[in-house]
Amino acid sequence: LISAFYLYGRTLLILYVDDMIITDNDPEYIAFVKFHLSDQFLMSDLGPSRYFLEIEISYTNERFFLSQEKYSLTDHRTAETLMELNVHLVATDGEPLEDPTRYRHLIGSLVYLGVTRPDISYSIHILSQFVYAPTQIHYSHILRVLHYFRGTISRRLFFSHSSSLQPQAHCDATWASDPSDRRSLSAYYVFLWFPHCLKD
Amino acid sequence: MLKKNRLELSFLSCSAQRFHSDGSLKRYKARLIAHCFQQEHGRDYDQTFTHVAHMTTIHTLFAMTFVQGWSISQLDVKNVFLNGELCEDIYMRPPHGYSVPESIVCHIRHSLYDLKQTLRA
C-alpha cells in the first residue's frame, strides 16, 4: 500500500502505513470518502481524530492542542532547564557506556517527542551526535533532558483558531561553533500560525 | 509448478495471544510468516522502504484544519501488509494441513508478513 498526500478539491487525506486522517469542511464528503475506502479495504473507523501516531489531538472551541503527554516516565525528578549553560560536549568525555542501546533508544524516543516539543530539539541535536559511542557524561545529560521533560510534561503545542495562515520563517546560524570539529550550526523554523508552548 | 529460477519460500505460522488490560484473554492471533532470509536481493525483491507522510506535512495539515475549522476523521486499515500486490513471482509451499501433491506450490499474489518487500508493496 502506498502512502501519499492527496489534494482533491477541499479534501485532504494523509496516510501513514495503515493510519489515515481525512479532513474536509464538508462532513458528508468525508463520509463519502470513507465509504469508498471501506469498499476497497477492511478498515476500522475511529471517528473524530483523538490520537494519531501517539500524538494526542485535543480541542475546545477556540483552541487546539497537539501533545505527547502519554510518553511514560517512571522517574519523578525534574529539572528547570534542558542543559547547563556553556556546556561543550565532546565524544571523548567520560567512560564509554557498556551497553549503548538504552542511550540510543532514549535518543530515538526524544527525537519523536520533538514533534510536539520543539523546545528540546537543540539538546537532542547535540546529544544525538554521540549515539555511536555514548559515555556516562552524555548519559547524565540525556537524563537531565528527561527530568526537564518530566517537569514540563503538560506543555502542549497550541494552535489558535483565529491565527492567519501567513507563513513566517526564522533562521539563525553560528560560525564554527562546534569545539571539536569547528563546524557551524544552522537552524530554521517556519510558522503557519503563532505557536506557543503553554503551561496547563 | 515451481519455475527453476524462482525462489520457493517455506512459511512459518506464528501464533500469539492478545490480552485485555486486566490480563484476561481477548483473542488468539495467528499469522502466516514468510522466511524472508531465503529471499535474494534483485531476484525476489527490489525496494524495501515504505512511503510515509512527512511530519511537517502532518503538522501543516493540522494547522490548516484547525484554522479553517474543518473536522478531522481517522481511519485504520486492518492488516494493511496483506493488501500489497506483489510484482515479483514468489511461490510458497502449502501450509501444513493442506493435502496437495508434493509437486504443487502456491503462487503468491499479495504480500505476506515478513516478506522483504511487504512494506513497499
Side-chain angles (χ1 to χ4, degrees), chain A residues 55-118:
Chain A
I55 299 165
E56 186 183 359
I57 302 147
S58 51
Y59 24 87
T60 60
N61 285 338
E62 297 284 308
R63 291 139 59 96
F64 301 89
F65 299 98
L66 295 182
S67 83
Q68 285 160 295
E69 270 178 65
K70 294 283 153 92
Y71 257 56
S72 54
L73 291 174
T74 46
D75 192 336
H76 289 277
R77 280 175 290 178
T78 60
E80 289 293 312
T81 54
L82 282 155
M83 286 185 130
E84 288 159 47
L85 204 60
N86 300 321
V87 168
H88 294 293
L89 291 174
V90 289
T92 48
D93 282 339
E95 286 291 299
L97 293 180
E98 250 170 57
D99 179 14
T101 320
R102 191 174 162 78
Y103 186 90
R104 291 168 185 165
H105 281 172
L106 284 171
I107 288 289
S109 300
L110 288 170
V111 165
Y112 193 63
L113 183 63
V115 171
T116 62
R117 294 295 300 265

Side-chain angles (χ1 to χ4, degrees), chain A residues 16-37:
Chain A
Y16 200 100
V17 188
D18 60 347
D19 282 313
M20 205 184 294
I21 47 179
I22 309 175
T23 175
D24 195 303
N25 62 349
D26 178 4
E28 270 179 42
Y29 199 77
I30 292 187
F32 172 80
V33 173
K34 278 183 186 175
F35 176 79
H36 281 273
L37 284 169

Side-chain angles (χ1 to χ4, degrees), chain A residues 55-59 63-69 113-119 152-160 189-191 193-199, chain B residues 55 58-60 62-63 66:
Chain A
I55 299 165
E56 186 183 359
I57 302 147
S58 51
Y59 24 87
R63 291 139 59 96
F64 301 89
F65 299 98
L66 295 182
S67 83
Q68 285 160 295
E69 270 178 65
L113 183 63
V115 171
T116 62
R117 294 295 300 265
D119 49 335
T152 57
I153 197 162
S154 59
R155 289 189 190 177
R156 302 177 287 181
L157 209 55
F158 168 60
F159 297 80
S160 167
Y189 228 98
V190 181
F191 297 116
W193 65 94
F194 298 102
H196 315 274
C197 273
L198 274 194
K199 220 167 198 168
Chain B
M55 235 350 130
I58 296 173
H59 259 152
T60 312
F62 279 131
F66 293 157

Side-chain angles (χ1 to χ4, degrees), chain B residues 47-65:
Chain B
Q47 293 173 324
T48 56
F49 62 91
T50 184
H51 296 283
V52 290
H54 198 278
M55 235 350 130
T56 310
T57 314
I58 296 173
H59 259 152
T60 312
L61 180 110
F62 279 131
M64 281 187 60
T65 306

